Amino acid sequence: MSKVRIYTLAKDLSVDNQKLLEILDSLGVSYKSVSSTLDEDTVDAIKGILAEESAATPSAPTDSQAASQTPAESTAAPQLQSAPPTPHHKDDVTAPTSNSVPSTAAQAASGQVSSAVAVQEAPPVQAPEIPHRAPVVTIMGHVDHGKTSLLDYIRKTKVAAKEAGGITQHVGAFEAQTSKGRIVFIDTPGHEAFTTIRARGANVADIAIIVVAADDSIMPQTREAIAHAQAAKVPLIVAINKIDLPQADVERVKTDLTSVNLVPEEYGGDTVVVPVSAKTGEGVEDLLEYISLTAELEDLRADPKGEFSGVVIESKVDKQSGVLATVMVQQGTVNVGDFLVVGETYGKIKALMDSAGNRIKSAGPSTPVQVLGFSEAPVSGDKVASASNEHTAREKVSVRVDTRRTVEEARQKRKLSLEEMMGP
Ligand code: GTP
Ligand code: MG
């Protein structure tokens, strides 16, 4: 049997990717993404574990059942030795996986199970689960390689008809209801002057799509975009665009990618490369599929009931409405009437709009919203917090101002004492 990709196996076995990843974690098998391949032994071990699980407990296993299961252990144990004890995927920082969940109290108390078995048989998380949230996907790449066109295609065909026309020109972030669920996209400019915007875009992203035109291949801002995604530790997917053009050369792009250390899967590497055309739509569905697979691997969660936090995507001053800021809700929920603190200012939310321009009353995690109510334009990239009333908002601002002053004074003092030491 040849090697099989994780997501293919998940499909074949009718389990979700996350489940397979948990099993791989428990086996100590390393992988980089859901497109990593597995050898025959590992596949057999996985099948053994799944068979055991379904035989023992058709529904969720109880602690005692989990702790007493040993046949799966004996099936899986030989693979444990051959598996490299390396860490797993590149995004450990953002992806709490099930192996970070402590094993059950029963197992801990009995103390008789080896850690490998305890983790392997750990039942699903019992604590109230933080809900999943939609992935935030930033589109980056060289100027004119087709980033906006790609988003236009996705938006036109996938966003509910009522939302289609309503998106304002200025909003670089929008939500799309796709066949793979809700995805939030952020467009970034490719022109060389906009390095900071690209870096910011990468920082709010869960996943970066690097768009490379098939007739132009890797260009300076492609390299820069890749560097931003890597610096932000964001998994990336390469979309080779414009494959409808007669001069498109997909193979050349793939070869060129290896020169920037992104080795496509077909070449034995781990970089997901999807050929697409923003013009004809070819490959776009595949791209969405890969986004959703990557998001699943990231296990993105945020609590809509938790404390609000967000980040400013962009802001502008509108002659009629005043300051309009696009804020990405990262955690919690923001409501009309809330006070928001950003930088050293605060504002009361007069109105909220979704990315389709509809007025909304509140917005939860992974939602880009336009906020009306700041008295001055907040700085893009700044964190946004909320306050329950004006008094708290003011206090939060004054703490920030004080902190900045203290830092500045300390810096000034150091500078003066250095000058004294150096003499006139
Ligand atoms: P910047 O935001 O300026 O960096 O550009 P961009 O990457 O957003 O590129 P944009 O979507 O504006 O497209 C640039 C040009 O390429 C436009 O003329 C598009 O019509 C064209 N284009 C984009 N995608 C495709 C495609 O898949 N096929 C063809 N034939 N043309 C495309
Ligand atoms: Mg563009």
Side-chain angles (χ1 to χ4, degrees), residues 108-179:
S110 69
Q112 95 292 32
V113 270
S114 78
S115 62
V117 178
V119 172
Q120 178 185 313
E121 297 299 339
V125 185
Q126 297 295 316
E129 280 220 338
I130 298 173
H132 280 107
R133 60 174 178 83
V136 177
V137 180
T138 298
I139 315 291
M140 297 194 288
H142 195 73
V143 65
D144 276 355
H145 278 199
K147 299 172 290 295
T148 305
S149 303
L150 192 57
L151 285 182
D152 278 348
Y153 185 88
I154 294 170
R155 183 161 55 190
K156 244 183 275 158
T157 56
K158 308 292 176 194
V159 180
K162 70 174 174 67
E163 294 170 336
I167 293 168
T168 56
Q169 292 292 312
H170 310 276
V171 182
F174 74 92
E175 305 173 66
Q177 281 299 342
T178 74
S179 52

Side-chain angles (χ1 to χ4, degrees), residues 239-300:
I240 304 182
N241 189 33
K242 308 198 187 185
I243 55 167
D244 59 284
L245 291 175
Q247 65 271 36
D249 190 344
V250 172
E251 286 312 309
R252 179 186 156 212
V253 179
K254 287 184 183 169
T255 311
D256 289 353
L257 280 169
T258 56
S259 70
V260 289
N261 291 324
L262 295 181
V263 183
E265 286 178 338
E266 306 85 306
Y267 294 3
D270 290 304
T271 303
V272 178
V273 177
V274 194
V276 296
S277 166
K279 195 174 172 188
T280 67
E282 193 183 341
V284 172
E285 197 58 31
D286 292 340
L287 181 63
L288 295 173
E289 170 91 25
Y290 275 108
I291 292 172
S292 112
L293 287 170
T294 311
E296 211 177 300
L297 173 66
E298 297 287 296
D299 196 29
L300 308 165

Side-chain angles (χ1 to χ4, degrees), residues 199-221:
R200 264 196 319 256
N203 282 330
V204 291
D206 299 308
I207 299 167
I209 305 291
I210 310 290
V211 175
V212 188
D215 61 337
D216 209 17
S217 199
I218 312 282
M219 297 304 272
Q221 271 61 56

Side-chain angles (χ1 to χ4, degrees), residues 322-401:
V323 175
L324 263 180
T326 307
V327 171
M328 180 69 73
V329 181
Q330 294 179 308
Q331 281 195 65
T333 298
V334 68
N335 308 287
V336 173
D338 285 356
F339 285 89
L340 292 186
V341 180
V342 59
E344 293 182 3
T345 54
Y346 70 89
K348 185 179 182 176
I349 303 179
K350 288 188 207 137
L352 284 175
M353 274 162 290
D354 66 13
S355 60
N358 303 313
R359 286 226 172 195
I360 50 173
K361 290 209 168 97
S362 61
S366 292
T367 315
V369 280
Q370 284 215 68
V371 178
L372 194 66
F374 287 111
S375 49
E376 47 189 278
V379 178
S380 302
D382 271 6
K383 285 267 172 202
V384 190
S386 76
S388 45
N389 54 49
E390 187 155 14
H391 178 72
T392 339
R394 255 199 218 123
E395 268 182 352
K396 280 194 180 179
V397 169
S398 80
V399 168
R400 289 177 178 201
V401 174

